[in-house]
Amino acid sequence: CALPISSYREDLGGRLFVFLRDITQRRQIEKALQESEALCRAIPETAKDAIVTTDSSGTIVKWNLGAQAVFGYSPAEAIGQSMAILIPQRFHEAHLAGINRIRAGAEPQDQGKLMERVGLHKNGTEFPLEMSPAYFQIFGNHFFTAVMRDISSRKQAELALIAARDEAQASIRRKAVFLANMSHEIRTPMNGIMGLTELVLATELQAEQRENLELAYSSANGLLTVINDVLDFSKI
């Protein structure tokens, strides 16, 4: 069978010798390294999240397709530009100060943390994003990598939930006011009916009149009990 070989020739005393060496293992190692490198490149390139790497000066050196989808810049447009193109103007000073602190040797405090920030799209619109930064060194050079995700849809859903909660709380307050008014408006006349009935019962009456008024008083008292129960249940 054919084997990959390397050879070299050497002239020893007028005779030409050819030395052969099997490099099968070396070729296998090289192939494994190539496959590993291709895999390492493919993972960030195909990720839906934006993965952006900058050097110590904040210049973009790596830009995946996810970053293009999130920010709108193609790799050719983004690579070589400052990271500041992705950040609203009002945050530039804080961003630069953070880079300078790390370049001066300060320990990164947000390493690996999940944070919410404001991103700037190519078209000039701002949007909320979630990011996780990482800082590392290669041959003494500092690099910064951020994994970022547009969370506009999630924020809109959160705002919708907050609006629904506020509306529900407002509805509860309106109901409480209504019940308070109902409690007053219904109980007051019922108490008046019962009080006047008691006053009439305290006078001289015919037996049939007294019986009818006592029945009316008992019915009003029963109705008031039902009203109290309904209003109390509604409050609960």
Side-chain angles (χ1 to χ4, degrees):
C1 61
L3 295 175
I5 59 174
S6 64
S7 65
Y8 68 95
R9 300 182 181 187
E10 187 172 343
D11 190 349
L12 299 176
R15 295 185 179 183
L16 182 64
F17 291 87
V18 178
F19 297 89
L20 304 177
R21 180 170 54 192
D22 183 358
I23 58 172
T24 300
Q25 185 177 10
R26 191 179 76 186
R27 287 290 178 84
Q28 290 174 344
I29 294 173
E30 290 175 351
K31 182 180 179 182
L33 287 173
Q34 291 172 355
E35 291 176 350
S36 177
E37 290 175 359
L39 180 61
C40 289
R41 288 194 301 267
I43 291 174
E45 283 300 322
T46 57
K48 290 185 178 180
D49 290 342
I51 303 177
V52 180
T53 300
T54 70
D55 60 17
S56 59
S57 67
T59 301
I60 298 171
V61 295
K62 288 291 184 180
W63 183 268
N64 74 336
L65 295 178
Q68 179 174 339
V70 171
F71 292 98
Y73 294 98
S74 68
E77 293 173 317
I79 293 176
Q81 297 292 325
S82 170
M83 185 73 171
I85 66 172
L86 313 180
I87 304 171
Q89 180 66 38
R90 62 187 182 277
F91 301 119
H92 283 188
E93 186 175 347
H95 171 69
L96 183 59
I99 290 178
N100 289 336
R101 283 196 302 270
I102 295 173
R103 292 175 66 182
E107 186 70 21
Q109 297 181 353
D110 52 1
Q111 174 88 341
K113 293 182 179 178
L114 197 60
M115 304 175 296
E116 289 189 8
R117 293 291 185 266
V118 179
L120 182 64
H121 194 272
K122 179 183 177 181
N123 61 17
T125 59
E126 297 183 6
F127 61 94
L129 60 83
E130 193 174 67
M131 67 172 291
S132 177
Y135 307 90
F136 55 93
Q137 292 186 51
I138 298 179
F139 301 121
N141 297 316
H142 291 271
F143 292 92
F144 312 89
T145 292
V147 180
M148 295 171 282
R149 174 178 301 174
D150 185 347
I151 56 173
S152 298
S153 297
R154 193 180 78 191
K155 285 297 183 180
Q156 290 172 357
E158 290 176 357
L159 291 175
L161 286 174
I162 292 173
R165 181 203 63 191
D166 292 344
E167 175 58 29
Q169 291 176 343
S171 177
I172 291 172
R173 288 192 294 269
R174 289 194 296 269
K175 181 179 178 181
V177 172
F178 171 76
L179 289 175
N181 292 335
M182 287 293 294
S183 175
H184 175 74
E185 297 297 333
I186 295 178
R187 287 189 176 109
T188 298
M190 287 302 299
N191 287 325
I193 292 171
M194 294 175 64
L196 291 173
T197 303
E198 286 181 327
L199 291 175
V200 176
L201 286 171
T203 63
E204 293 184 4
L205 298 169
Q206 296 178 5
E208 185 177 354
Q209 291 176 326
R210 182 170 297 278
E211 182 180 354
N212 290 337
L213 285 173
E214 287 176 348
L215 181 60
Y217 181 86
S218 176
S219 298
N221 188 51
L223 180 57
L224 184 60
T225 300
V226 172
I227 291 171
N228 288 335
D229 290 344
V230 170
L231 292 175
D232 290 340
F233 179 76
S234 296
K235 288 180 181 179
I236 294 173

